[in-house]
Amino acid sequence: MQDTKMLTDRILWPITLAIFAVAGSWVFKCVTPFIALSVAAAVTMDRRRGALVVFGAWVANQAMGYGLSGYPVDAYSIGWGAAIGGGAMLSFVAARMIAGRGAALPKVAAGFAGAFVAYEGSLYLVALAFGGLHTFTSEIVLGILANDALWLVVLLGAHTALASASPRLFGQRLRLA
């Protein structure tokens, strides 16, 4: 019994979260909501599993981009792919440091804000150094903010529903109220 709980508690929600991220990336043409994914992983699972889910989603995103969407295989494209992966991991670290696992809603919101700044800030620095500042218009950045905020609501809603239906399989619900 304990081994089964340990297995599902450690694997089932991370797999579910990863499926959401990869499916979202596929549906929205590789616009993976890394900020939302990072925050959801930071507040619903331990540090190692959360980091692995974020990293795995980035790998899947890159595989889909280069394998299915025909991203150009050149230094600029690969560099930006690496920068996005680094930004995703920084956003996870920020969310984890600010909100932590099992955080209540105000800390989740603060974790989201910190993750957004870490992700977008790190990519902005890369754009300053290597080009690509044209992707940092207020319209684009606010679109990313809105997209990831919506995705975070969906991901945490899914976790709440799954944890409510089967806490043995998906862990405890977050204290969002």
Side-chain angles (χ1 to χ4, degrees):
M1 170 78 170
Q2 183 63 22
D3 290 338
T4 303
K5 182 187 180 337
M6 190 168 88
L7 179 69
T8 56
D9 190 34
R10 293 181 177 206
I11 294 174
L12 201 52
W13 172 241
I15 288 172
T16 303
L17 189 57
I19 288 169
F20 268 102
V22 171
S25 182
W26 178 259
V27 169
F28 296 106
K29 302 296 180 207
C30 293
V31 181
T32 302
F34 285 117
I35 301 159
L37 176 67
S38 295
V39 175
V43 301
T44 62
M45 57 187 85
D46 66 62
R47 186 176 21 255
R48 185 173 59 84
R49 277 180 215 39
L52 286 171
V53 166
V54 173
F55 180 75
W58 172 77
V59 169
N61 172 266
Q62 296 302 295
M64 287 175 16
Y66 288 103
L68 300 174
S69 296
Y71 286 5
V73 181
D74 58 25
Y76 186 77
S77 174
I78 292 169
W80 267 106
I84 290 168
M89 296 310 295
L90 283 173
S91 71
F92 173 75
V93 169
R96 186 72 186 193
M97 288 175 60
I98 295 167
R101 186 173 184 188
L105 188 57
K107 286 188 109 180
V108 172
F112 178 78
F116 180 80
V117 169
Y119 184 78
E120 286 295 307
S122 66
L123 294 182
Y124 185 80
L125 291 175
V126 170
L128 276 174
F130 300 105
L133 284 176
H134 64 280
T135 62
F136 286 89
T137 65
S138 58
E139 183 180 339
I140 292 171
V141 173
L142 290 173
I144 291 168
L145 176 66
N147 180 62
D148 277 84
L150 179 61
W151 267 100
L152 183 59
V153 169
V154 169
L155 294 174
L156 293 182
H159 182 265
T160 298
L162 292 168
S164 294
S166 185
R168 201 174 113 235
L169 296 178
F170 291 96
Q172 296 297 313
R173 287 182 28 207
L174 293 175
R175 301 176 322 259
L176 295 176

